[in-house]
């Protein structure tokens, strides 16, 4: 299968190249040249008695990856990726009552849904690099969550060095320790004396430094990488197979920030999965909510909320939906985005809005309602949910098609990762799973460096394996 750019001005690439490239050279994002066609019935027919998550993953992903690896290799990589998940079902589906379900995506090593994609992407990177006899240095900046998921996915891989910059003293202690207590010679944590934006600027400068970029074979695994979206399509099929509602209709509600997770759901639908509604939950940073309500998107400044992983200004994966809305015409996408950069506003036609609202709806859930939702779920079911998950549940309950159609809400983080909000809402302290019992006793490894490009660069040159 070949992949094309959403801006129509980059070469078509095969899977291995798309995996390692990330962003297309025209600034666009890669998507499959055409969507493979699948149904729940096809998948279950191929599975016979084995119906575990890994088996479903192989069925869903093989058309996307077959240029690069065969079905048996894919199965081996997926098996290894999901061995690190602590729940026997990997991604369990729990009933919350009233035909409402919670899809728990947070049983991976760093307790957030990003592990589902990154654990597999780490395996795919290592496989592809070993085949090419290459090595890379992944650099990234984090304000907390993504860094730990990326580190865990890349640790102990001989083909990869990973360097993560975080703002010194500005992440929570749990977040910092999840990154800095990883003992692996290819993991390099750097605390920058500055803000998250300073960290991001340093990373950008590295990518613009052609000599350094080429010498280090720099790479990124941020959320625009197609392989991450691809890996996330699996659990939409998995939930549908597990529920198998008689007429196959399902609503999915997804707490959204960069729009990668819910776009993966829409990708499954474009492949053939029956979905009656996609419900986008946002916090007070409601750029996406405003778009789905009014057809207009305007950048504003970010306000901090109880669901920090969704405090995002411009949802980068939105470009992929725009490409599909515009009949996959890259030049139209390019023009619309150029206009957005110029005016700070993006507006679609009324007819396009009517069309989009047939499948999509959205709600803005503020911090108060998030807390009330956490309290309500606890009272009704005894389950503690994290604030991101609560945003999705509240949006889903408000916008679902009907109680006859199952509503699947995506659980994106373990409640133990955001204890303050959960305690505030319920008075109960969510426990961290067992594997973290000694997190506070483990030795940390990180270097504190000034916000200075040359110093950071020479530190990286010395630290990586070479
Ligand atoms: C990243 C993240 C989100 C947002 O997902 P997107 O794919 O960026 O829309 C939601 N919840 C949690 C816990 C996250 O870490």
């Amino acid at each position: 299968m070949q992949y094309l750019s959403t801006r129509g001005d980059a070469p078509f690439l095969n899977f291995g190249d798309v995996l390692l490239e990330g962003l297309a050279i025209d600034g666009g994002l890669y998507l499959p040249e055409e969507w493979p066609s699948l149904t729940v019935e096809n998948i279950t027919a191929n599975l016979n008695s084995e119906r575990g998550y890994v088996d479903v993953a192989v069925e869903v992903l093989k058309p996307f990856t077959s240029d690069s690896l065969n079905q048996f290799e894919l199965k081996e990589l997926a098996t290894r990726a999901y061995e690190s998940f602590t729940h026997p079902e990997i991604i369990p589906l729990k009933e919350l009552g009233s035909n409402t379900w919670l899809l728990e995506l947070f049983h991976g090593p760093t307790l957030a849904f990003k592990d589902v994609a990154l654990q597999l992407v780490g395996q795919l990177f290592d496989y592809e690099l070993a085949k090419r006899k290459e090595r890379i240095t992944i650099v990234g900046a984090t304000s907390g969550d993504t860094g730990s998921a990326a580190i865990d996915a890349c640790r102990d891989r001989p083909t990869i060095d990973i360097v993560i910059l975080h703002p010194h003293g500005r992440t929570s202690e749990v977040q910092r320790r999840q990154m800095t207590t990883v003992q692996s010679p290819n993991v390099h944590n750097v605390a920058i004396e500055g803000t998250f934006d300073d960290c991001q600027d340093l990373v950008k400068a590295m990518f613009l430094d052609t000599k350094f970029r080429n010498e280090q074979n720099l790479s990124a695994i941020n959320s625009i990488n197609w392989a991450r979206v691809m890996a996330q399509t699996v659990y939409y099929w998995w939930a549908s197979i597990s529920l198998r509602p008689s007429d196959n209709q399902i609503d999915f509600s997804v707490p959204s920030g960069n729009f990668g997770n819910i776009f993966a759901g829409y990708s499954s639908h474009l492949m053939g999965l029956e979905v009656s509604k996609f419900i986008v939950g946002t916090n007070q940073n409601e750029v996406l909510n405003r778009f789905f309500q009014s057809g207009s998107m305007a950048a504003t400044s970010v306000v901090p909320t109880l669901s920090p992983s969704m405090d995002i200004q411009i949802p980068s994966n939105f470009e992929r939906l725009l490409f599909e809305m515009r009949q996959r015409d890259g030049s139209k996408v390019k023009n619309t985005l150029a206009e957005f950069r110029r005016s700070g506003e993006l507006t679609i036609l009324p007819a396009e809005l009517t069309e989009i609202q047939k499948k999509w709806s959205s709600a803005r859930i503020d911090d108060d309602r998030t807390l009330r939702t956490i309290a309500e779920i606890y009272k009704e079911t005894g389950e503690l949910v994290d604030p991101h998950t609560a945003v999705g549940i509240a949006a889903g309950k408000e916008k679902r098609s009907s109680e006859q159609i199952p509503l699947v809400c995506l659980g994106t983080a373990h409640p133990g990762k955001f204890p303050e909000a959960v305690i505030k809402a319920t008075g109960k302290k969510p426990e961290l799973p067992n594997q973290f019992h000694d997190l506070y006793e483990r030795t940390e490894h990180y270097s504190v460096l000034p916000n200075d490009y040359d110093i950071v660069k020479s530190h990286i040159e010395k630290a990586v394996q070479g």
Side-chain angles (χ1 to χ4, degrees):
M1 173 180 288
Q2 293 282 292
Y3 291 83
L4 47 63
S5 161
T6 49
R7 300 194 191 172
D9 241 354
F12 282 57
L13 296 181
N14 64 24
F15 178 74
D17 291 325
V18 166
L19 173 74
L20 298 178
E21 198 103 332
L23 196 69
I25 53 164
D26 60 359
L29 312 187
Y30 275 104
L31 277 174
E33 185 183 16
E34 54 190 46
W35 292 103
S37 155
L38 265 184
T39 63
V40 165
E41 288 74 23
N42 293 152
I43 295 176
T44 45
N46 279 350
L47 289 182
N48 48 59
S49 63
E50 283 181 60
R51 291 208 179 160
Y53 186 79
V54 167
D55 303 293
V56 173
V58 171
E59 289 305 310
V60 175
L61 300 181
K62 67 186 183 193
F64 293 116
T65 55
S66 58
D67 283 352
S68 181
L69 59 165
N70 69 37
Q71 188 174 337
F72 305 102
E73 292 163 323
L74 178 60
K75 178 154 185 178
E76 198 178 313
L77 298 186
T79 303
R80 268 190 251 145
Y82 298 117
E83 266 167 5
S84 58
F85 280 56
T86 52
H87 197 283
E89 287 163 50
I90 300 173
I91 296 180
L93 188 64
K94 262 193 196 151
E95 186 160 15
L96 294 177
S98 326
N99 211 5
T100 303
W101 305 78
L102 179 65
L103 187 65
E104 294 188 347
L105 302 168
F106 49 71
H107 295 285
T110 73
L111 307 178
F113 91 96
K114 290 183 176 74
D115 288 328
V116 181
L118 282 168
Q119 286 292 319
L120 183 63
V121 169
Q123 296 287 345
L124 288 165
F125 261 81
D126 202 31
Y127 169 88
E128 190 64 34
L129 289 165
K131 198 167 76 179
R132 296 176 185 214
K133 299 192 168 58
E134 285 178 23
R135 55 163 298 283
I136 53 169
T137 301
I138 290 175
V139 290
T142 188
S143 55
D145 276 351
T146 313
S148 57
I151 285 172
D152 205 281
C154 296
R155 63 182 297 172
D156 304 320
R157 304 205 184 286
T159 53
I160 300 174
D161 275 282
I162 179 163
V163 181
I164 297 291
L165 312 185
H166 71 264
H168 187 42
R170 293 179 198 239
T171 60
S172 78
E173 186 166 7
V174 174
Q175 285 176 326
R176 188 191 70 236
R177 285 183 167 272
Q178 277 192 318
M179 297 191 280
T180 59
T181 58
V182 172
Q183 298 250 21
S184 174
N186 72 328
V187 170
H188 315 285
N189 279 289
V190 179
I192 298 292
E193 290 169 329
T195 63
F196 170 61
D197 289 328
D198 294 330
C199 297
Q200 229 167 3
D201 288 344
L202 287 165
V203 170
K204 270 185 217 152
M206 290 176 212
F207 277 95
L208 291 174
D209 183 340
T210 315
K211 182 163 172 281
F212 181 66
R213 182 181 177 156
N214 292 339
E215 275 168 10
Q216 291 298 328
N217 212 359
L218 283 196
S219 188
I221 41 173
N222 46 20
S223 80
I224 49 95
N225 192 307
W226 161 253
R228 282 181 64 178
V229 176
M230 176 192 85
Q232 291 168 8
T233 62
V234 175
Y235 47 73
Y236 290 87
W237 291 96
W238 169 248
S240 307
I241 290 168
S242 309
L243 279 177
R244 287 213 285 172
S246 49
D247 60 357
N248 280 333
Q249 292 293 333
I250 291 190
D251 287 345
F252 283 103
S253 183
V254 186
S256 295
N258 251 326
F259 203 65
N261 196 358
I262 199 162
F263 185 80
Y266 190 62
S267 302
S268 312
H269 175 62
L270 294 171
M271 292 160 76
L273 183 69
E274 296 278 356
V275 174
S276 91
K277 238 186 199 191
F278 289 102
I279 302 162
V280 179
T282 72
N283 59 29
Q284 290 102 300
N285 297 293
E286 56 166 333
V287 176
L288 285 166
N289 177 49
R290 264 192 256 115
F291 174 78
F292 286 103
Q293 309 261 347
S294 72
S296 249
M297 183 179 282
T300 53
S301 54
V302 173
V303 292
T305 69
L306 294 176
S307 41
S309 302
M310 290 150 57
D311 292 347
I312 278 164
Q313 200 183 356
I314 305 292
S316 46
N317 274 291
F318 177 78
E319 181 166 344
R320 290 192 159 110
L321 179 66
L322 192 63
F323 183 68
E324 296 296 340
M325 276 171 56
R326 296 267 152 100
Q327 282 73 47
R328 310 196 116 212
D329 183 336
S331 62
K332 283 188 184 156
V333 171
K334 203 161 71 181
N335 293 339
T336 304
L337 292 171
E339 178 57 31
F340 185 37
R341 265 193 305 279
R342 207 160 36 238
S343 67
E345 203 168 306
L346 184 161
T347 304
I348 56 170
L349 301 170
E352 289 176 319
L353 181 62
T354 309
E355 190 57 34
I356 209 89
Q357 285 175 338
K358 286 181 187 159
K359 249 326 144 207
W360 293 82
S361 64
S362 69
R364 168 192 188 271
I365 309 298
D366 65 15
D367 280 353
D368 270 355
R369 221 170 128 200
T370 302
L371 291 173
R372 266 188 282 134
T373 306
I374 297 172
E376 224 172 82
I377 303 285
Y378 181 56
K379 208 166 129 226
E380 287 166 11
T381 68
E383 291 288 329
L384 294 174
V385 296
D386 102 286
H388 302 79
T389 303
V391 165
I393 294 174
K397 287 191 169 180
E398 183 178 319
K399 300 289 178 170
R400 70 188 298 178
S401 306
S402 80
E403 284 203 8
Q404 276 64 58
I405 292 179
L407 166 66
V408 175
C409 301
L410 272 54
T412 54
H414 190 284
K417 227 178 158 170
F418 297 93
E420 296 83 7
V422 176
I423 293 168
K424 196 167 171 198
T426 63
K428 216 176 133 58
K429 185 168 184 278
E431 294 301 327
L432 278 172
N434 233 344
Q435 75 263 33
F436 293 100
H437 70 277
D438 62 345
L439 187 65
Y440 283 87
E441 282 101 68
R442 290 181 208 163
T443 313
E444 293 189 82
H445 302 270
Y446 65 104
S447 313
V448 182
L449 297 180
N451 177 21
D452 178 295
Y453 181 68
D454 290 323
I455 293 175
V456 175
K457 179 172 130 176
S458 71
H459 175 84
I460 293 173
E461 283 167 342
K462 277 190 226 110
V464 299
Q465 302 167 97

